[in-house]
Amino acid sequence: MPAGRDTRPGKVTIFDVAARAGVSIKTVSRVVNHESNVRERTREKVLSAVRELRYRPNAAARALSGNRSRVVGLVYENAQEFGYTQDVLNGALGACEARDYALLLCPIGLPNPDVVERVRDFAAEGRVEGVVLPAPMGDLPAVRALLSELRVPFAAITPKEAPPDEINVSCRDRDATFALTEYLIELGHRAIGFVAGHPDHGASAERYGGYRDALAHHGVPFVRDLVRQGYFDFESGQAAARTLLGLPAAPTAIVASNDDMAAGVLFEARERGLGVPDDLSIAGFDDTRIASRVWPRLTTARQPIARMAETAARLLIERLNGGTAESLPKPFECEPVIRESTAPPGSRRGPRDPEGC
Amino acid sequence: MPAGRDTRPGKVTIFDVAARAGVSIKTVSRVVNHESNVRERTREKVLSAVRELRYRPNAAARALSGNRSRVVGLVYENAQEFGYTQDVLNGALGACEARDYALLLCPIGLPNPDVVERVRDFAAEGRVEGVVLPAPMGDLPAVRALLSELRVPFAAITPKEAPPDEINVSCRDRDATFALTEYLIELGHRAIGFVAGHPDHGASAERYGGYRDALAHHGVPFVRDLVRQGYFDFESGQAAARTLLGLPAAPTAIVASNDDMAAGVLFEARERGLGVPDDLSIAGFDDTRIASRVWPRLTTARQPIARMAETAARLLIERLNGGTAESLPKPFECEPVIRESTAPPGSRRGPRDPEGC
DNA sequence: TTGTAGGCGTTATCAT
DNA sequence: ATGATAACGCCTACAA
């Protein structure tokens, strides 16, 4: 039988390789871990033994012995809308793969009185060396405090400023919301509604700030009734639109703090037979998939979510490996993306029929 | 200082607990693992020691010693459209949590010549005890063969029939597509387009079969040109619609093999100024989030993706723990969901203006 | 019901 | 440059 050796995994150990190569297990370990001080010929002998035996180091043994599991955790809010998390996942996974780390998930539904206990269960088993905290997890002081207490390193995606020894990754959402609002003003809009993001997200305040700054900067009066609280999901966007569009002085444009809420606004506009952008201009934030899946496609601000998550995971892993405490990156830029959901006000007039026509 | 013991994790071992409780480590082990044969008083002593010391068993040591990592892997296609995967994730995570398992991710972009090597790298490290294979991973014979060779148990979500010793979870997509198509026929449609799913997905053939069966059953002639190949993503749905709606004898209804493609069809209809459902009825499949985020909301078939994934993960974990080889569940039902994207043909006539009005 | 001994597969320490 | 040996923390035997 051709090369009929036992190829069952989990059975070939470092001893088998050492025997095959005629060296000690320590030498095998050196080669496998790319340590120096191994003669080239020895290295090659070992490597071919590894290949022939299809040797794979056992992860559990490595973790136990080296006290390093090569796993990082992702503690994320398990929300209905998954656009943000999808990008976070991909970014974090990219950073992990490149460094031969694995990613373990810890989804948490919010709000949740047991967040801290859930995170503790997750972080204290020693399965993960560190944790990535996308929004809004990094905005929760209790979570940060717990991880500090547990001495589990973490990297957060949050606009908050980081203490010198912590890793925060952020973007300039304030500037981007400013730019979007300004764009609408320049199109001629004066009654511009705003749907705020979830109050537990640090980014929400930033984006609201950008909106208000733009109004102020252009001398457009701020109207309290044109601002509604949202929670970053479709339904809250729709609900906000329901209120705003029912106002006697309804807005001609609405800025939503993310794309999911903007999609909700768009949906409600259509339900009311309003034309978009003719009767109502709509802008979102994030440029997640949904922004270009609805019709018309949404004007929005492109937040580099995946790159931010990749950066967070990368910095975390570097720190875990005692990497030079690389200085934190500057906040990422968010680029406005103009699409078909925005136009000058009243591009077309007159009552619309109930089908949005 | 109040209760100022060292609470650093990963330091408190089973020996500390044993000493504190005045028992042997084996007894602690018994208590922690809920084994029987421990006197109630002893158990309590141990449990309070565990609490006081904040003891957490070390996962790596457990995995190494017991040869059980309590981790299952999820090998999934990392597609642009995430609706399906989102539901799979939640289902699988639910099953894991309930049984104190963790979930490790292995995303794979398809098509990919290295699928098998990627899966091998993932499965052979011994980090995962078994893997869940959502569509289309369980449809790839090479992947199944590899895992069998590696002796890594798996549970797949696929309409294929399972060999007696393997776990396949499926749903009746054929019936559901039949029902949707039939519904359109009963509304009066005769020219019904179809956008097929990715040919590598087992479900695609099933759904196409349901479509053809319905036509045949109702004596509606099958027209080859009304069928277009799609790939389960928005763009391919849009592309298919572009062709179909450009036909001299354009369809009055289009059945897409999933919601993402249906959304693409809807988008293209709007681009062409067609009213939906007045000029064109559209049906999707899955009932993922996007189906009720577009306007009008999509008629579709509700596939219980999360429940299927939960079932797959549950059966896998039961098998891993030598559970009684529970018989596989019957295929899940897919329930048609009628929404606003479908109506009798030509509900309103005449040319539409370019805004889809 | 409880305890003792051995081993899981690797990395780390210290020789050589 | 290489190797023998001791951890790492737990679980599975087998005794008591």
Side-chain angles (χ1 to χ4, degrees):
Chain A
M1 89 194 250
R5 90 170 44 257
D6 185 339
T7 53
R8 275 175 301 179
K11 302 304 289 179
V12 178
T13 79
I14 198 170
F15 286 94
D16 302 319
V17 179
R20 188 92 154 84
V23 299
S24 79
I25 60 165
K26 180 58 198 174
T27 299
V28 176
S29 177
R30 285 202 180 89
V31 171
V32 168
N33 292 301
H34 307 98
E35 289 175 28
S36 47
N37 286 343
V38 178
R39 202 188 310 160
E40 187 52 33
R41 273 203 38 225
T42 314
R43 157 177 266 93
E44 281 166 13
K45 268 194 310 188
V46 171
L47 284 179
S48 42
V50 164
R51 272 190 298 271
E52 288 163 21
L53 297 175
R54 288 185 169 294
Y55 166 69
R56 309 265 170 168
N58 179 295
R62 277 185 146 171
L64 179 58
S65 177
N67 204 26
R68 302 179 53 248
S69 61
R70 295 197 81 79
V71 177
V72 299
L74 180 72
V75 176
Y76 66 99
E77 178 187 8
N78 197 13
Q80 293 288 340
E81 319 295 350
F82 216 71
Y84 177 77
T85 304
Q86 173 186 0
D87 288 344
V88 165
L89 258 181
N90 285 330
L93 280 166
C96 287
E97 259 174 48
R99 290 158 188 78
D100 201 31
Y101 265 70
L103 190 72
L104 210 55
L105 299 185
C106 179
I108 301 187
L110 292 181
N112 186 330
D114 303 324
V115 216
V116 172
E117 274 317 304
R118 291 217 31 156
V119 176
R120 186 195 296 280
D121 286 341
F122 181 72
E125 289 172 316
R127 280 213 246 238
V128 297
E129 294 179 30
V131 168
V132 175
L133 299 176
M137 289 300 163
D139 296 314
L140 305 176
V143 171
R144 301 183 75 110
L146 170 72
L147 292 173
S148 300
E149 173 200 330
L150 255 35
R151 298 244 183 26
V152 173
F154 61 91
I157 301 178
T158 167
K160 286 183 186 164
E161 276 198 40
D165 57 328
E166 294 182 1
I167 301 173
N168 278 5
V169 175
S170 65
C171 70
R172 314 184 53 132
D173 3 34
R174 176 181 282 253
D175 293 351
T177 314
F178 184 99
L180 282 178
T181 309
E182 181 170 62
Y183 171 72
L184 290 168
I185 294 171
E186 286 169 349
L187 282 179
H189 293 278
R190 287 299 172 271
I192 303 176
F194 185 79
V195 187
H198 196 296
D200 289 349
H201 288 239
S204 297
E206 295 298 313
R207 296 179 193 171
Y208 182 49
Y211 162 77
R212 295 208 52 169
D213 287 353
L215 294 186
H217 185 260
H218 289 274
V220 177
F222 168 73
V223 180
R224 177 107 215 83
D225 282 352
L226 287 181
V227 176
R228 303 296 305 172
Q229 181 68 59
Y231 300 92
F232 280 145
D233 62 339
F234 182 94
E235 282 77 13
S236 68
Q238 185 176 5
R242 217 162 358 230
T243 306
L244 291 173
L245 297 175
L247 251 30
T252 61
I254 293 179
V255 175
S257 293
N258 78 348
D259 292 335
D260 298 297
M261 295 196 299
V265 172
L266 172 57
F267 191 95
E268 180 62 20
R270 293 228 161 271
E271 287 285 303
R272 292 172 173 252
L274 293 176
V276 175
D278 302 323
D279 301 314
L280 180 70
S281 285
I282 301 174
F285 201 103
D286 283 348
D287 196 23
T288 45
R289 308 286 298 175
I290 195 171
S292 33
R293 298 270 175 274
V294 294
W295 195 92
R297 301 181 307 162
L298 295 173
T299 288
T300 186
R302 177 169 300 145
Q303 186 185 180
I305 303 170
R307 277 166 53 211
M308 292 167 71
E310 196 274 339
T311 302
R314 181 168 51 75
L315 294 176
L316 175 65
I317 292 176
E318 282 169 5
R319 151 160 317 185
L320 291 173
N321 295 315
T324 61
E326 182 185 336
S327 60
L328 292 187
K330 287 186 312 194
F332 284 82
E333 299 291 334
C334 297
E335 181 198 359
V337 180
I338 309 303
R339 298 215 184 88
E340 299 81 26
S341 68
T342 47
S347 304
R348 278 189 352 209
R349 296 292 164 117
R352 327 293 309 188
D353 79 335
E355 259 201 55
C357 296
Chain B
M1 78 192 262
R5 97 170 38 259
D6 185 340
T7 54
R8 275 176 302 179
K11 303 302 292 177
V12 179
T13 79
I14 197 171
F15 286 95
D16 301 320
V17 179
R20 188 90 154 85
V23 300
S24 77
I25 62 164
K26 178 60 202 173
T27 300
V28 177
S29 175
R30 287 202 178 87
V31 171
V32 168
N33 293 302
H34 308 98
E35 288 175 31
S36 47
N37 288 343
V38 177
R39 203 187 309 162
E40 187 53 34
R41 274 202 37 227
T42 314
R43 154 176 267 93
E44 281 166 13
K45 267 196 307 189
V46 171
L47 283 179
S48 42
V50 164
R51 272 191 298 272
E52 288 163 21
L53 297 176
R54 287 185 170 292
Y55 167 69
R56 309 265 171 169
N58 179 296
R62 275 183 148 173
L64 179 59
S65 176
N67 205 25
R68 302 180 54 249
S69 60
R70 295 196 82 79
V71 177
V72 299
L74 181 72
V75 177
Y76 67 99
E77 177 188 9
N78 197 12
Q80 293 288 341
E81 318 295 350
F82 216 72
Y84 177 77
T85 303
Q86 174 187 1
D87 288 343
V88 165
L89 258 182
N90 286 331
L93 281 166
C96 287
E97 258 173 49
R99 291 158 188 79
D100 202 29
Y101 266 69
L103 190 72
L104 210 54
L105 299 186
C106 179
I108 300 187
L110 290 181
N112 185 331
D114 303 325
V115 215
V116 172
E117 274 318 303
R118 291 216 33 155
V119 177
R120 187 195 297 280
D121 286 341
F122 181 71
E125 291 171 315
R127 281 213 245 240
V128 298
E129 294 179 33
V131 302
V132 175
L133 299 176
M137 289 299 164
D139 296 315
L140 304 177
V143 171
R144 300 182 77 110
L146 171 73
L147 292 173
S148 300
E149 173 201 329
L150 255 35
R151 299 251 188 8
V152 173
F154 60 90
I157 301 179
T158 167
K160 287 185 184 163
E161 277 199 40
D165 57 327
E166 293 182 1
I167 301 172
N168 278 5
V169 176
S170 65
C171 70
R172 314 185 54 134
D173 1 36
R174 176 180 282 254
D175 293 351
T177 314
F178 183 100
L180 283 178
T181 308
E182 181 169 63
Y183 172 71
L184 290 168
I185 294 171
E186 286 169 349
L187 283 179
H189 294 277
R190 286 300 173 271
I192 303 176
F194 184 78
V195 187
H198 196 294
D200 289 349
H201 288 239
S204 297
E206 295 298 313
R207 295 178 195 172
Y208 182 50
Y211 163 76
R212 295 208 53 168
D213 288 353
L215 294 186
H217 186 262
H218 289 274
V220 177
F222 168 73
V223 180
R224 175 107 214 83
D225 282 351
L226 287 182
V227 177
R228 303 295 305 173
Q229 182 67 59
Y231 300 92
F232 280 145
D233 62 340
F234 183 93
E235 281 78 12
S236 68
Q238 185 175 7
R242 214 157 8 224
T243 306
L244 291 173
L245 297 175
L247 250 31
T252 61
I254 293 179
V255 176
S257 292
N258 78 347
D259 292 336
D260 298 297
M261 296 196 298
V265 171
L266 172 57
F267 191 94
E268 180 62 20
R270 293 228 161 271
E271 286 286 304
R272 293 173 171 252
L274 294 176
V276 175
D278 302 324
D279 302 314
L280 180 71
S281 284
I282 301 174
F285 201 102
D286 284 347
D287 197 23
T288 44
R289 307 287 295 176
I290 194 172
S292 32
R293 299 269 176 275
V294 294
W295 194 92
R297 301 181 308 162
L298 295 173
T299 288
T300 186
R302 177 170 299 145
Q303 185 185 181
I305 302 171
R307 276 167 53 213
M308 292 168 71
E310 196 274 337
T311 302
R314 182 168 50 74
L315 293 176
L316 175 64
I317 293 175
E318 282 170 5
R319 151 158 319 182
L320 291 173
N321 295 314
T324 61
E326 180 185 338
S327 60
L328 293 186
K330 286 186 312 192
F332 285 82
E333 299 291 334
C334 296
E335 181 197 359
V337 180
I338 309 302
R339 298 215 183 86
E340 298 82 25
S341 69
T342 48
S347 303
R348 279 191 349 211
R349 295 292 163 116
R352 327 294 307 190
D353 80 336
E355 260 201 52
C357 298

